[in-house]
Amino acid sequence: MQTRQARPDDASAVADVYVRSWQVAFAGLVPQHYLNAMDPSREESEWKTRIAQTRWPWSGVLVAETKAGVVGFAGFGPSQETPAVAEIGTLYAMPEVWGTGIGKHLMLATLPTLQQAEYTQATLWVLEDNRRARRFYEAAGWRADGAAVEDTTGGASLNKLRYRRPLG
């Protein structure tokens, strides 16, 4: 497995990982009608745009690739709240590779990229009820910093917690 900077032609694979991961990871957390309606073909153009707008190393998308193709990705950039702080906005892997170290490998590849951009801290948001993701982030040294927001994805009221970690 290798990690590399995403290219615009990866957008279809990234959209597929995004949708499949959401449909499994958020089952029981996000309304099922919302998850069922997700379609990689509708997400592809947004990912193509995001990837094309990369300002490496300050913002971008890293993909994890195996012989089977792209199996995971991480997207990052400056925090909207505090641009001097990095935010990992997305970190997803195909459900079939959960527990194999792909997510950890992506995280370990993303953190030095953020340091290269001279960020000293990073944040990310995670659903409060997503115990699996919270365990993953906590094992990687992330800690809830007390900030919380309400998200209404799919019409449901979902609590998101901000996690933070120093870089370096």
Side-chain angles (χ1 to χ4, degrees), residues 6 16 23 29 44 46 48 58 87 103 126-128 146 159 166:
D16 192 42
Q23 289 174 329
L29 300 174
E44 183 177 351
E46 182 177 333
K48 189 169 285 206
W58 296 274
E87 181 172 310
V126 62
L127 289 180
E128 183 176 16
N159 292 322

Side-chain angles (χ1 to χ4, degrees), residues 20 44 50-51 68-69 82 99 106 122-123 129 133 140 146 155:
R20 296 213 24 234
E44 183 177 351
R50 283 187 189 186
I51 292 167
T82 311
L106 270 168
T123 61
D129 291 337

Side-chain angles (χ1 to χ4, degrees), residues 74-142:
F76 58 89
S79 166
Q80 290 182 5
E81 301 159 331
T82 311
V85 174
E87 181 172 310
I88 297 177
T90 54
L91 196 150
Y92 296 108
M94 287 294 213
E96 299 82 13
V97 301
W98 291 353
T100 66
I102 297 285
K104 182 178 180 179
H105 192 79
L106 270 168
M107 181 66 71
L108 291 174
T110 301
L111 296 176
T113 303
L114 300 177
Q115 289 173 306
Q116 182 184 355
E118 299 182 359
Y119 291 114
T120 58
Q121 291 187 44
T123 61
L124 56 81
W125 292 90
V126 62
L127 289 180
E128 183 176 16
D129 291 337
N130 189 341
R131 303 281 183 229
R132 179 186 184 99
R134 291 180 64 191
R135 281 191 309 272
F136 170 80
Y137 293 126
E138 289 167 5
W142 295 82

Side-chain angles (χ1 to χ4, degrees), residues 17-28:
V17 171
Y18 178 75
V19 168
R20 296 213 24 234
S21 179
W22 262 69
Q23 289 174 329
V24 176
F26 299 131

